[in-house]
Amino acid sequence: MADAEIRPFRVEVPDEALDDLRDRLGRTRWPSEVPGAGWSRGVPLGYLKELAGYWRDGYDWRAQEARLNQVPQFVTEIDGQPVHFLHARSPESGALPLVITHGYPGSVVEFLDAIGPLTDPRAHGGDPADAFHVVAPSLPGFGFSTPVREPGWAMTRTARAWAELMARLGYERYGAQGGDIGAGITGMLASLDPGHVVGVHLNSDPLAVAAVALPPGDQADQAAVTAEHRTSLERMRQFQADGLGYLQLQTTRPQTVAYALTDSPAAQLAWIAEKFKEWTDPKADLPEDAVDRDQLLTNVSLYWFTGTGASAAQFLYEAAHGGDWPGPSDVPQGWAVFAAGDDLVRRLVDPDGKIGHWSEFGRGGHFAAMEAPDLLVQDVRAFFRALR
């Protein structure tokens, strides 16, 4: 690929890969389990057997592949790294460019229900003045942004690549949106490209804050001043205690887990399905109560067919060991917190109320674009309305 060339891309998984997936699922060597453990020790055997059986015999990859290919896709090379991205232009002439960034263990599949309302609000009951041109890149080492040829691809380098991508597309003014890892990259974009980024919108949830920003006990106790806050704080502390094993492994020994994620579809399925159980709306008993089951399996399938469980784990390692962090930015910032039972997240993240746009929603969770695309789109529109 010539330097700076942008070429069209279509998802076309070979039949042989589909046959191989079904064969491997049919030959899964299942473990035993402790009776009555439920989800307390990980994904229950009965649940995963049923989900894997549906993935093998009921799920229609070709239908989901066709849905993915309805969105224009492209590949370019930036800083030596192949970058795959969705690029859905709005029919509205005054649309604002918006780069949206997924997290882990997500992919551009997360955004399929949000792209239409964002690009064409007129067709979805909204105001055409709120339209966006949407650019949704796959993180380096995720999906079709492969292979990763050298170390060093973490959030800051990725943010620089996104700035180059938006410039390469001819967008001189643009907004940025993201959650999880995508929130970190989005915030860095504001610092690295402040002359072009008009605003950044971040979505989060209490468990994401617990993973990266829950302060020591005494400080958190000072923020939690009511019984309602105490309930939220204990949930966050419990997540810190027993919900971060995946992160410890992937940020210390990513190559070790890479073999299971690359060789066994059942392992890749369990690794991701657990996160959709733990991180989605706490009112949902099972992952498919929070997100569409086929969309969940499309996300898992994307990891499987591209073999990127390994390189996604390496991205988390790089993020944990990278030290190149840009400074703060004055670019306007907005937050949308999902699964918010109270205002504890704001007390912890923004105690002085300096973030001008702050929204809290009682439903949804970590995967907001999949769980509550209507609320996310509504909040993104509201935040950027004054920044166009």
Side-chain angles (χ1 to χ4, degrees):
M1 187 189 303
D3 185 43
E5 177 189 0
I6 296 175
R7 60 179 175 84
F9 179 87
R10 283 181 61 82
V11 182
E12 295 176 326
V13 172
D15 289 339
E16 293 79 7
L18 293 173
D19 293 340
D20 177 67
L21 170 61
R22 295 189 185 102
D23 178 65
R24 287 172 183 263
L25 287 169
R27 292 186 296 107
T28 301
R29 185 181 181 189
W30 296 105
S32 61
E33 69 174 348
V34 175
W39 286 84
S40 65
R41 301 190 183 204
V43 183
L45 178 61
Y47 175 80
L48 200 71
K49 277 189 171 181
E50 193 279 328
L51 186 59
Y54 176 73
W55 193 17
R56 180 177 186 266
D57 299 320
Y59 170 76
D60 186 350
W61 164 259
R62 291 299 183 204
Q64 300 301 316
E65 183 181 70
R67 187 186 180 204
L68 264 170
N69 283 327
Q70 289 176 356
V71 185
Q73 299 175 58
F74 303 87
V75 174
T76 191
E77 186 171 295
I78 301 174
D79 192 13
Q81 173 62 37
V83 174
H84 162 264
F85 61 100
L86 310 183
H87 187 195
R89 289 187 58 83
S90 172
E92 306 294 340
S93 60
L96 176 69
L98 179 71
V99 57
I100 55 178
T101 308
H102 67 85
Y104 180 85
S107 66
V108 294
V109 170
E110 291 183 45
F111 305 125
L112 291 180
D113 291 331
I115 287 175
L118 286 171
T119 58
D120 193 3
R122 187 193 301 269
H124 293 82
D127 185 343
D130 288 330
F132 297 93
H133 300 305
V134 172
V135 179
S138 297
L139 294 173
F142 289 68
F144 298 103
S145 287
T146 53
V148 180
R149 301 187 179 98
E150 60 183 12
W153 277 101
M155 290 192 292
T156 305
R157 190 172 179 182
T158 301
R160 291 194 180 98
W162 279 197
E164 168 60 23
L165 175 62
M166 297 304 279
R168 196 171 290 185
L169 292 172
Y171 292 139
E172 295 186 0
R173 295 180 72 254
Y174 64 94
Q177 199 284 327
D180 189 61
I181 295 169
I185 292 168
T186 297
M188 291 177 181
L189 260 177
S191 299
L192 296 170
D193 200 19
H196 300 97
V197 177
V198 301
V200 295
H201 181 280
L202 315 176
N203 63 274
S204 191
D205 63 281
L207 297 188
V209 172
V212 299
L214 186 62
D218 56 345
Q219 296 179 35
D221 286 340
Q222 292 172 17
V225 295
T226 69
E228 184 180 35
H229 289 133
R230 291 284 176 189
T231 300
S232 297
L233 182 58
E234 287 309 311
R235 180 168 178 256
M236 294 168 75
R237 282 181 169 157
Q238 187 63 41
F239 178 73
Q240 274 193 329
D242 67 13
L244 296 175
Y246 82 99
L247 191 61
Q248 289 291 329
L249 182 56
Q250 293 186 129
T251 57
T252 59
R253 299 294 185 271
Q255 191 62 34
T256 299
V257 73
Y259 301 104
L261 299 180
T262 303
D263 189 59
S264 169
Q268 182 67 87
L269 178 63
W271 199 252
I272 292 179
E274 182 193 77
K275 305 311 165 212
F276 276 81
K277 158 64 176 174
E278 299 292 338
W279 299 354
T280 51
D281 193 319
K283 295 185 292 294
D285 291 329
L286 296 172
E288 54 266 42
D289 295 330
V291 302
D292 178 77
R293 175 181 262 202
D294 283 355
Q295 192 176 12
L296 168 59
L297 287 174
T298 302
N299 182 63
V300 177
S301 297
L302 196 61
Y303 277 80
W304 175 255
F305 290 132
T306 58
T308 50
S311 49
Q314 297 286 356
F315 189 99
L316 297 186
Y317 180 93
E318 298 286 355
H321 293 82
D324 180 18
W325 297 87
S329 169
D330 293 329
V331 171
Q333 182 180 129
W335 274 60
V337 181
F338 292 82
D342 52 49
D343 65 348
L344 180 58
V345 170
R346 185 162 202 182
R347 286 175 178 266
L348 296 173
V349 173
D350 184 34
D352 298 324
K354 294 181 179 179
I355 298 175
H357 179 98
W358 187 282
S359 301
E360 295 171 354
F361 300 102
R363 62 180 171 94
H366 189 80
F367 304 95
M370 294 176 72
E371 297 181 69
D374 56 331
L375 297 180
L376 180 64
V377 168
Q378 163 195 313
D379 205 65
V380 170
R381 289 173 178 170
F383 171 68
F384 283 104
R385 201 164 284 148
L387 303 174
R388 289 176 173 270

